[in-house]
Every structure is written in C-alpha cells, then in structure tokens.
C-alpha cells in the first residue's frame, strides 16, 4: 500500500485517546512499542520491569516528588500510540517555572494521532497549572531523554533512546521547537594513539599539581561508592542546563538496579586528600543481549544478559564528572585515562560517550579535540 493510500485510510477512521486507568490499559501501554517497531532491526526492546518502574506502574522514588498520567490512542479499538504527561516539582522549584513534561511517546505515522495524544497531555498539564511543556523526558534528564533526530543507521547503546525518524516531523508539526540538542560521540581504541598531545600534557600537569588517588569502585562497599558517584554527579552538574539533582531515594534505587550490571573495571573514582573530586562511570553495552531476550529478564533472560560479559566489546561512557573547583584542571581527563589500561585488558574495541549537551562546551570541546566523532544527535523540544 502506498504511503498516500495508507494516510487516507488512517484519516478515514477516528482516533480516540483515553487516560490509562486499568491494569489492562497499562499492559497495552507497555506493548505499544512492539507494534510501532515491528520490522525495525535497530530497535531494542526495553527491559519490561524497568519500563514499569519508569512509568510508576511499579512504585519508583522519582514519583515521590513528581506526578505522571499516561494516555493511549486507539484507532478502531487498537492501540496506535501513547504518551505520558509529567509534572516534575523539583524542576519547577529549581527553575521557578510552571513547566510540564511529556515522555514515553510512541506513535503511528499519523499527525492526527500525534496531535490527539499531545492534546491530551497538554490538557492534563494545564489542569495541573503548567504553562509550558518540554520533552521527551522518560521521565527526566537523569534517566532516558531526548528524541533521536540523526543517527538511525545503527541500534542505540544501553540506556539510550531510539525512535522512528518521522517522530521529529510529528512533534514539530504540533508546534514544538528545539530548545537543546545532545550528541553521542563514538571512539575506537585504535584512536587512542592519535590523541592530541595537548590533552596528554594536561593529564601530566594534573598529576604533578595534585596528588590524585585513583581507584575502582569497591564491590565490598558497593552502596557507599555508588553514593559517592552520584554525589559527585549532583555537585558537578549544578550549573548544567536543565539539571535537577538526583534524590537520596533515587540514588538507592539506582544502586539496587545497577548492582548486577556494573563492572568495577569500567569505573574510576579520583580522590584528593581523601576527598572524592571526580569519577568516571561506564557500562557494557548490554543492548544486543537485551534484544536477544526480548526485554524479558525472567525466567532465564538474566542469565543470558550476564553470561560471558567479557564477550561484550563495546561500552557506553555514561558519566565523567568533576566537582566545580577542579573542573578546569584536567582531573576529568586524568580519571578517564585511568580507565584505558582496564578497557584494553578487557578487550573493548569501541566506546560511546553519551550523551553530551551541545551547551557543555568543556566536554564537547575535549571530545572533539580527542578525535571522537559525533554519530547521533538527540533533541529536546519546548512548547510554550
């Protein structure tokens, strides 16, 4: 069927949007992506348990200070799209705004369906007193966020978003406009030998200036060290666009959720005079295995996910953070350099640095200078 004929058929049938209220509708909401991405080899299904938590279908600490309402779009009784409307109260307190958010957006290629979903989210947010909308956030910038607008040639890395290319058209046609872009940088281990000499000089000068103790995450004190990572994360990003600190209860939940996935060799904590000042945190790219198990960890998916992790040769560097007073002294480069021997010994071949805000000139510039290449671009939109 031609695209024109398909569009005509879609327009001929009515779209109905309903708030999700029952367990059956929740199940439908969770299953929508399997229909939208049918036949798309690059799509990686979400881990089903994690998806329930992020939607607060299973209790999650983010929603201790936030609200969410999910909506389903039906055409002839069949779910064809979904969206969530979110009020993030800490964001509005921090930025003195009345801004709502949308997220978890999936939709058939129909402007009518997209408009109906976004109308429902907008009306719910208006009833909550919100005067502007930002998204997509799933459910905030501390989790998955942004719409992929460039880089559809390969699957996403672990915990990064993916969507159909036409989503950008649907969202922009509704009236949303770009507010910030984020990029993913790619690098191969073979590129390390060609690193800019100035970067090497900065690392050596940092070593001379500060007596930095560099160590891995300690599995015997896992919860303590995850808290250290997240404390550095919160302090380092204090002036970053759109940032809202992770709460203590969210920190505990993240530590619990990542405990089996974190590999100590992919972490570094930097300490000066016993004080943690910088950290780098990478995760193996589990996505090919998640695709293999269809997002189901039970009954045996978990074993497949974690079996022979040495066989995974790609990592995602999720976070390189330094507290503000040390950010321009090369400490970030130093903690990353500590990873290199570990990564080489593991046999890692590729790394993705994601995501990096376009407004983060320090990280953006350092990665460009180091020879990393931008392979994907993600966009956050505002609607006033």
């Amino acid at each position: 069927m031609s695209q024109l004929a398909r569009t005509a058929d879609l327009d001929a049938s009515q779209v109905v949007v309903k708030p999700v209220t029952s367990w059956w509708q929740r199940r439908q909401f969770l299953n929508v992506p399997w229909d939208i991405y049918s036949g798309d080899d690059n799509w990686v299904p979400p881990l089903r348990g994690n998806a329930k938590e992020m939607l607060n279908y299973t209790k999650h600490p983010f929603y201790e200070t936030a609200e969410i309402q999910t909506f389903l779009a039906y055409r002839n009784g069949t779910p064809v799209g979904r969206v969530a409307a979110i009020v993030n109260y800490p964001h509005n307190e921090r930025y003195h705004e009345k801004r709502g958010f949308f997220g978890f957006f999936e939709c058939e290629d129909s402007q009518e369906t997209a408009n109906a979903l976004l109308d429902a989210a907008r009306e719910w947010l208006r009833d909550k007193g919100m005067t502007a909308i930002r998204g997509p956030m799933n459910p905030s910038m501390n989790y998955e966020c942004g719409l992929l607008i460039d880089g559809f040639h390969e699957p996403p890395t672990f915990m990064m978003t993916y969507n159909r290319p036409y989503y950008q058209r649907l969202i922009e046609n509704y009236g949303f406009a770009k507010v910030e872009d984020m990029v993913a940088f790619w690098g191969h281990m073979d590129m390390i030998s060609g690193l800019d000499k100035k970067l090497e000089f900065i690392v050596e000068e940092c070593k001379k200036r500060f007596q930095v103790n560099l160590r891995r995450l300690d599995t015997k004190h896992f919860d303590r060290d995850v808290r250290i990572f997240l404390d550095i994360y919160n302090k380092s990003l204090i002036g970053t666009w759109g940032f809202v600190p992770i709460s203590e209860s969210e920190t505990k939940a993240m530590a619990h959720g990542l405990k089996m996935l974190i590999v100590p060799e992919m972490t570094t904590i930097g300490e000066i005079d016993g004080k943690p000042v910088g950290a780098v945190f990478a995760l193996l790219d589990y996505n090919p295995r998640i695709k293999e198990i269809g997002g189901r960890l039970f009954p045996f998916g978990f074993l497949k996910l974690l079996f022979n992790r040495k066989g995974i040769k790609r990592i995602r560097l999720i976070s390189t953070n330094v507290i503000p007073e040390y950010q321009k002294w090369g400490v970030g480069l130093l903690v990353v350099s500590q990873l290199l021997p570990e990564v080489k010994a593991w046999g890692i071949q590729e790394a993705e640095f994601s995501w990096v805000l376009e407004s983060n000139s320090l990280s953006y510039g350092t990665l460009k200078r180091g020879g990393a290449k931008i392979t994907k671009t993600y966009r956050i939109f505002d609607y006033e």
Side-chain angles (χ1 to χ4, degrees), residues 182-239:
M182 311 178 297
V183 297
F185 283 91
W186 171 88
H188 195 280
M189 290 301 294
D190 292 344
M191 297 163 62
I192 291 172
S193 59
L195 280 177
D196 192 297
K197 294 297 180 184
K198 186 176 180 180
L199 297 183
E200 293 182 14
F201 173 78
I202 292 171
V203 169
E204 292 306 314
E205 286 299 302
C206 181
K207 289 179 180 178
K208 293 176 185 176
R209 182 179 294 270
F210 306 108
Q211 294 297 314
V212 185
N213 177 51
L214 299 169
R215 66 175 180 86
R216 295 178 184 175
L217 177 146
D218 185 350
T219 54
K220 293 181 180 178
H221 301 283
F222 181 85
D223 289 348
R224 179 203 66 188
D225 279 1
V226 169
R227 283 191 175 86
I228 288 173
F229 270 101
L230 292 172
D231 183 58
I232 293 171
Y233 174 86
N234 280 341
K235 289 176 179 176
S236 70
L237 297 177
I238 202 73

Side-chain angles (χ1 to χ4, degrees), residues 368-384:
K368 290 282 283 186
R369 179 180 285 276
K373 299 177 181 178
I374 294 174
T375 54
K376 296 185 178 72
T377 303
Y378 304 83
R379 182 160 293 173
I380 296 173
F381 298 87
D382 271 3
Y383 183 98
E384 300 297 335

Side-chain angles (χ1 to χ4, degrees), residues 5-273:
R6 180 176 177 273
T7 301
D9 282 350
L10 291 178
D11 291 341
S13 55
Q14 188 177 6
V15 173
V16 176
V17 173
K18 297 179 181 180
V20 173
T21 58
S22 69
W23 71 269
W24 177 248
Q25 286 176 310
R26 288 183 174 189
R27 184 175 178 180
Q28 288 179 317
F29 190 98
L30 291 166
N31 286 338
V32 164
W34 272 261
D35 293 326
I36 297 294
Y37 297 102
S38 177
D40 188 335
D41 291 337
N42 286 333
W43 178 66
V44 178
L47 290 171
R48 290 175 181 262
N50 183 67
K52 291 177 183 178
E53 289 184 353
M54 291 296 96
L55 291 161
N56 210 32
Y57 290 172
T58 301
K59 190 175 180 180
H60 189 275
F62 172 78
Y63 295 101
E64 292 173 0
T65 54
E67 291 185 73
I68 186 172
Q69 176 61 57
T70 49
F71 297 89
L72 273 168
Y74 295 89
R75 187 185 293 279
N76 298 329
T78 301
V80 291
R82 71 179 203 181
V83 75
I86 302 158
V87 179
N88 184 346
Y89 292 107
H91 172 95
N92 287 338
E93 290 169 11
R94 184 177 182 85
Y95 294 100
H96 308 291
E97 295 180 333
K98 293 182 178 180
R99 185 178 299 282
F101 297 86
F102 82 92
F104 305 97
F105 177 80
E106 305 287 0
C107 190
E108 65 179 354
D109 191 359
S110 164
Q111 193 66 51
E112 177 196 17
T113 305
N115 289 354
L117 284 165
L118 294 169
D119 278 346
R122 187 173 73 169
E123 183 176 344
W124 186 85
L125 290 167
R126 185 190 293 122
D127 289 344
K128 293 290 180 179
M130 302 300 107
T131 59
I133 309 175
R134 177 171 293 165
M137 301 286 176
N138 305 334
S140 80
M141 290 186 69
N142 291 323
Y143 300 91
E144 295 184 9
C145 64
L147 189 85
L148 182 65
I149 63 168
D150 183 60
F152 296 93
H153 57 287
E154 63 179 359
T157 53
F158 186 50
M159 296 170 65
M160 289 295 287
T161 61
Y162 179 80
N163 51 264
R164 292 286 197 181
Y166 63 78
Y167 280 21
Q168 182 181 0
R169 166 169 47 82
L170 296 181
I171 290 171
E172 289 179 343
N173 283 351
Y174 185 82
F176 280 89
K178 171 194 169 181
V179 64
E180 185 82 10
D181 277 357
M182 311 178 297
V183 297
F185 283 91
W186 171 88
H188 195 280
M189 290 301 294
D190 292 344
M191 297 163 62
I192 291 172
S193 59
L195 280 177
D196 192 297
K197 294 297 180 184
K198 186 176 180 180
L199 297 183
E200 293 182 14
F201 173 78
I202 292 171
V203 169
E204 292 306 314
E205 286 299 302
C206 181
K207 289 179 180 178
K208 293 176 185 176
R209 182 179 294 270
F210 306 108
Q211 294 297 314
V212 185
N213 177 51
L214 299 169
R215 66 175 180 86
R216 295 178 184 175
L217 177 146
D218 185 350
T219 54
K220 293 181 180 178
H221 301 283
F222 181 85
D223 289 348
R224 179 203 66 188
D225 279 1
V226 169
R227 283 191 175 86
I228 288 173
F229 270 101
L230 292 172
D231 183 58
I232 293 171
Y233 174 86
N234 280 341
K235 289 176 179 176
S236 70
L237 297 177
I238 202 73
T240 303
W241 180 88
F243 173 70
V244 176
I246 298 173
S247 70
E248 178 65 22
S249 55
E250 287 178 274
T251 297
K252 291 179 182 177
M254 285 186 177
H256 176 74
L258 292 173
K259 192 162 190 175
M260 298 301 294
L261 300 177
I262 290 175
V263 175
E265 292 93 329
M266 305 299 164
T267 63
T268 304
I269 297 174
E271 300 167 330
I272 297 178
D273 297 327

